[in-house]
């Protein structure tokens, strides 16, 4: 700020002057510190404070709205099911070469090899007591590979719907119809928009990987 201008009261809230375009444009630079100091204790100061708090509230509300879980969603017998993204290793086409496994639980349809390891294939339709006949004209479906530590399994599903982010507020507990259902499907995601309404049954991957417990549980159904 030129010394001559700095002595004038009307320029006391300015820190300097910015010169742009080789001096063709002059832009006054205000001092935020002096502006807030003058406003302290006055109505203007309170207004600025209140506005800041409203802004913070708006940011907090937006952040809450953005909190959501991501799920890999697949189709099975006309319904949609979801698994946490972190639990899904990959999605494959159903393999041609499979081997039946003697004395396996009824819901383990067969085994196949995947990168040098043996992968049990779980027939979700059998596991969930759904009709096993699929719609005519479709392909062989997909295998959703889930893993936790050393445990792996391939879930036989009809098709994929993609990755869906479900807001926390749209996820609620599933009704308890049976013990087996409650162990496998504990939550439901309900998405509603002007275009569509979706209900996604959210499965527990840890329960799906515990074959012995699943067999014992389903034996009582």
């Amino acid at each position: 700020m030129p010394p001559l201008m700095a002595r004038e009261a009307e320029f006391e809230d300015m820190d300097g002057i910015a010169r742009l375009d080789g001096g063709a444009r002059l832009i006054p630079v205000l001092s935020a510190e002096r502006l807030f100091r003058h406003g302290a204790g006055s109505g203007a100061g309170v207004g600025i404070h209140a506005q800041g708090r409203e802004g913070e509230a708006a940011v907090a509300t937006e952040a809450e709205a953005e909190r959501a879980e991501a799920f890999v969603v697949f189709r099975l017998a006309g319904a949609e099911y979801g698994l946490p993204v972190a639990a899904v290793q990959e999605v494959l086409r159903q393999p041609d070469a499979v081997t039946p496994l003697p004395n396996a639980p009824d819901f383990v349809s067969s085994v196949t090899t995947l990168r040098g390891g043996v992968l049990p294939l779980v027939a979700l339709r059998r596991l969930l007591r759904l009709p096993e006949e699929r719609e005519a004209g479709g392909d062989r479906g997909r295998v959703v590979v889930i893993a936790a530590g050393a445990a792996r399994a391939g879930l036989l599903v009809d098709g994929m719907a993609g990755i869906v982010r479900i807001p926390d507020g749209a996820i609620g507990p599933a009704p308890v119809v049976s013990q087996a259902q409650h162990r496998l499907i504990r939550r439901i995601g309900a998405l509603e928009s002007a275009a569509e309404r979706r209900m996604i049954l959210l499965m527990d991957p840890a329960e799906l990987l515990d074959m012995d417990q699943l067999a014992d549980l389903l034996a009582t159904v």
Side-chain angles (χ1 to χ4, degrees):
M1 176 68 65
L4 181 63
M5 295 177 64
R7 290 197 296 267
E8 300 296 330
E10 60 184 309
F11 300 119
E12 64 178 354
D13 291 331
M14 293 173 56
D15 265 347
I17 295 178
R19 292 188 292 184
L20 304 178
D21 300 333
R25 296 174 59 198
L26 301 179
I27 301 177
V29 179
L30 297 175
S31 169
E33 180 181 355
R34 284 193 288 273
L35 282 172
F36 286 129
R37 185 176 66 238
H38 295 330
S42 67
V46 174
I48 292 171
H49 183 63
Q51 185 179 6
R53 296 178 104 180
E54 289 173 4
E56 290 174 5
V59 171
T61 302
E62 186 177 350
E64 289 175 1
E66 289 179 353
R67 280 204 293 267
E69 290 185 59
F71 295 90
V72 174
V73 177
F74 57 87
R75 293 185 294 272
L76 190 70
E80 288 187 315
Y81 295 78
L83 287 163
V85 167
V88 178
Q89 273 195 341
E90 56 189 308
V91 177
L92 312 168
R93 291 186 178 275
Q94 289 193 17
D96 293 315
V98 296
T99 302
L101 189 64
N103 296 322
D106 176 63
F107 56 84
V108 177
S109 66
S110 54
V111 294
T112 188
T113 56
L114 180 64
R115 297 185 185 84
V118 177
L119 182 73
L121 298 177
V122 175
L124 273 189
R125 283 177 174 262
R126 287 185 213 163
L127 182 64
L128 299 176
R129 299 294 193 262
L130 298 172
E132 293 198 35
E133 296 79 14
R134 298 182 59 222
E135 295 181 3
D139 61 14
R140 290 199 307 273
R142 297 290 185 271
V143 178
V144 179
V145 181
I146 60 173
R152 284 197 311 174
L155 309 179
L156 302 181
V157 305
D158 294 348
M160 305 304 300
I163 295 178
V164 177
R165 289 181 60 82
I166 305 179
D168 288 352
I171 299 176
V176 180
V177 178
S178 68
Q179 185 182 9
Q181 167 265 317
H182 182 59
R183 295 293 293 268
L184 295 173
I185 304 169
R186 299 187 179 183
R187 300 185 297 166
I188 293 179
L191 298 175
E192 196 167 340
S193 67
E196 63 177 347
R197 178 180 297 177
R198 299 173 69 181
M199 185 168 292
I200 302 174
L201 308 176
L202 305 177
M203 306 194 77
D204 188 328
E207 296 291 343
L208 289 169
L209 287 167
D210 192 336
M211 301 292 174
D212 290 337
Q213 184 167 282
L214 275 180
D216 292 342
L217 186 65
L218 296 180
T220 64
V221 176

